[in-house]
Amino acid sequence: MTTTAEPMPDNLQLIRESARDFAETHIRPHVMEWDEAQFFPMDLFHKMGEHGFLGVLVPEAYHGAGLGYQEYITIIGEIAKVCGSIGLSVAAHNSLCTNHILSFGTEEQKQKYLPLLATGKWVGAWGLTEPNTGSDAGRMQCVARRDGDYYIINGNKSWITHGISGHVAVVIVRTGELLDSRGMTAFIVERDTPGFRGGKKENKLGMRASETAELIFDNCRIHKNQMLGQEGEGFIQAMKILDGGRISIAALALGIAQGAYEASVKYAKEREQFGQPIANFQAISFKLADMATKISAAELLTRHAADLKNAHAKCTREAAIAKYYASEISVEISTDAIQIHGGYGYTKDFPVEKFYRDSKLCTIGEGTSEIQKLVIAREVLK
């Protein structure tokens, strides 16, 4: 996942080749089949766990790969170049559910859940958004009421990756007053917990092989030992997790853009009009030049944010900038890719129409582009 002149370090190059080979072998042959059927390939995720792709950031002590954010975004990018849906699911599993437990779990919680998640035996979900509270998370209506050593959870979460198929979910629910940033708490909820189930599966424009569904809580009884951190820390935890999540989405967007760009270069060299390849025409070659420039800029922003994350430095501004820019140029590049392909680009026989559909989610998920601008502006004006 690089268009820059500077070569990748050897370890990143090996990881890139490993992820690329896996995607070509196990994902590419099924991309359109899974997309058309909206099929979430659970068997593939078990296989990815065996290759270390589902516990990238998890230390080896918990059966993870023990790698950093540079390796992580390289893996996401290579998978997304082939299929955005699978890239999205890998990102959500790693950076949201698994990373939340890694970052804020007790040693007992880490020992119990991280080996299952890191090896792909279990797939994870993460729930913050609700039907009427997307960006406005402070007004969440999913509530946990204390009952001795237990909490009783009632309410719904929506737009949750792996909402039906996930084996475990980290959910942030309200335990205090409305609009109180310290009135929300995170819990780990296993799939077979009574009163907890998946709901409606969304019929989406793109990312169709990445399952998106509701989480429904109906008097779901959770022991206090399933709490992550302390009561009231859930929202603050979630904001920290989203910094890493936004780097994930930047990498996802970058991979989609790269896939659309590479398909366009190949097509422009092969497609002939007026007796020559269309790549010879300035209208096409300038589009390709713009694509390459935007991808290079997005990669530098994303890798800079990843460097800060690796160093455990504050990266709220940089993660938001990377996510905002990479997701917007992903849409632009996949749009131009269809234009380069002409009528063929509008058909499902060529890959660019899927890159086009998948790219749009990157400007919405884990904070819309407008929310990213809000975050950036707040950081700039501090």
Side-chain angles (χ1 to χ4, degrees):
M1 183 190 69
T2 185
T3 58
T4 55
E6 185 179 341
M8 276 189 161
D10 288 346
N11 67 316
L12 275 188
Q13 186 62 32
L14 286 171
I15 285 163
R16 181 171 73 164
E17 289 169 5
S18 173
R20 179 184 293 167
D21 291 347
F22 183 93
E24 291 294 335
T25 303
H26 299 289
I27 300 174
R28 191 177 293 281
H30 309 287
V31 167
M32 292 312 296
E33 167 199 343
W34 292 340
D35 182 76
E36 294 280 345
Q38 295 199 80
F39 175 71
F40 176 64
M42 182 63 82
D43 286 347
L44 175 77
F45 281 78
H46 295 323
K47 192 173 273 129
M48 282 197 289
E50 294 168 8
H51 281 73
F53 298 151
L54 297 188
V56 182
L57 303 167
V58 176
E60 292 178 16
Y62 305 111
H63 301 188
L67 300 173
Y69 267 82
Q70 293 296 348
E71 292 86 354
Y72 174 52
I73 64 176
T74 300
I75 290 166
I76 295 291
E78 287 301 321
I79 292 171
K81 274 167 62 174
V82 174
C83 180
S85 295
I86 305 305
L88 173 63
S89 277
V90 172
H93 172 93
N94 273 283
S95 71
L96 298 180
C97 178
T98 304
N99 196 42
H100 200 138
I101 296 171
L102 175 64
S103 298
F104 298 105
T106 63
E107 186 57 32
E108 185 180 353
Q109 289 168 340
K110 292 177 188 178
Q111 292 283 359
K112 181 177 181 180
Y113 293 108
L114 292 180
L116 291 166
L117 291 163
T119 58
K121 290 184 175 68
W122 280 16
V123 167
W126 190 80
L128 177 66
T129 303
E130 297 182 3
N132 294 311
T133 60
S135 303
D136 186 13
R139 296 180 193 273
M140 66 171 54
Q141 299 297 313
C142 192
V143 173
R145 177 178 56 82
R146 185 77 184 257
D147 181 21
D149 286 342
Y150 289 83
Y151 286 82
I152 313 297
I153 304 178
N154 281 287
N156 293 6
K157 294 290 179 182
S158 59
W159 305 105
I160 308 305
T161 305
H162 314 141
I164 294 168
S165 298
H167 300 83
V168 64
V170 171
V171 294
I172 296 90
V173 298
R174 186 157 60 81
T175 49
E177 296 302 313
L178 209 63
L179 299 178
D180 179 4
S181 65
R182 293 196 172 272
M184 291 165 266
T185 305
F187 292 92
I188 305 169
V189 189
E190 294 182 24
R191 174 58 60 189
D192 59 1
T193 306
F196 175 48
R197 62 186 174 88
K200 176 193 172 191
K201 180 178 176 178
E202 301 297 340
N203 184 7
K204 307 193 300 281
L205 168 72
M207 302 291 196
R208 290 167 61 82
S210 178
E211 178 188 273
T212 305
E214 290 178 308
L215 299 178
I216 298 173
F217 298 89
D218 183 8
N219 290 319
C220 179
R221 193 173 176 84
I222 298 294
H223 194 272
K224 65 181 181 182
N225 290 346
Q226 296 298 101
M227 185 189 299
L228 280 159
Q230 301 299 313
E231 183 173 318
E233 292 179 351
F235 183 75
I236 294 123
Q237 291 174 5
M239 293 305 102
K240 290 177 180 174
I241 292 301
L242 283 173
D243 282 346
R246 285 164 180 164
I247 297 171
S248 290
I249 299 297
L252 176 68
L254 189 52
I256 291 169
Q258 184 86 36
Y261 164 74
E262 290 180 4
S264 298
V265 170
K266 181 175 183 288
Y267 183 82
K269 288 178 176 178
E270 294 171 352
R271 172 69 167 170
E272 290 195 359
Q273 291 287 275
F274 306 102
Q276 58 184 308
I278 63 171
N280 290 353
F281 300 128
Q282 193 177 73
I284 301 300
S285 65
F286 276 19
K287 278 191 191 298
L288 295 172
D290 282 341
M291 288 176 170
T293 302
K294 290 171 183 174
I295 288 169
S296 292
E299 179 168 10
L300 289 169
L301 288 169
T302 305
R303 291 204 177 276
H304 174 52
D307 266 346
L308 291 173
K309 188 70 176 167
N310 270 343
H312 305 289
K314 181 174 168 58
C315 63
T316 300
R317 175 179 179 269
E318 290 77 8
I321 287 173
K323 195 269 190 190
Y324 168 52
Y325 184 76
S327 62
E328 290 293 333
I329 65 102
S330 187
V331 174
E332 292 171 17
I333 287 169
S334 55
T335 302
D336 282 344
I338 288 182
Q339 202 68 19
I340 288 170
H341 282 69
Y344 289 112
Y346 204 66
T347 72
K348 293 183 182 291
D349 296 330
F350 286 76
V352 291
E353 67 84 32
K354 183 176 182 296
F355 288 127
Y356 177 75
R357 288 186 288 110
D358 288 348
S359 67
K360 189 58 194 168
L361 182 277
C362 298
T363 70
I364 298 169
E366 297 194 36
T368 62
S369 289
E370 290 72 22
I371 289 294
Q372 303 313 311
K373 286 195 267 191
L374 184 66
V375 170
I376 296 161
R378 281 178 181 164
E379 292 293 317
V380 166
L381 295 170
K382 271 183 179 176

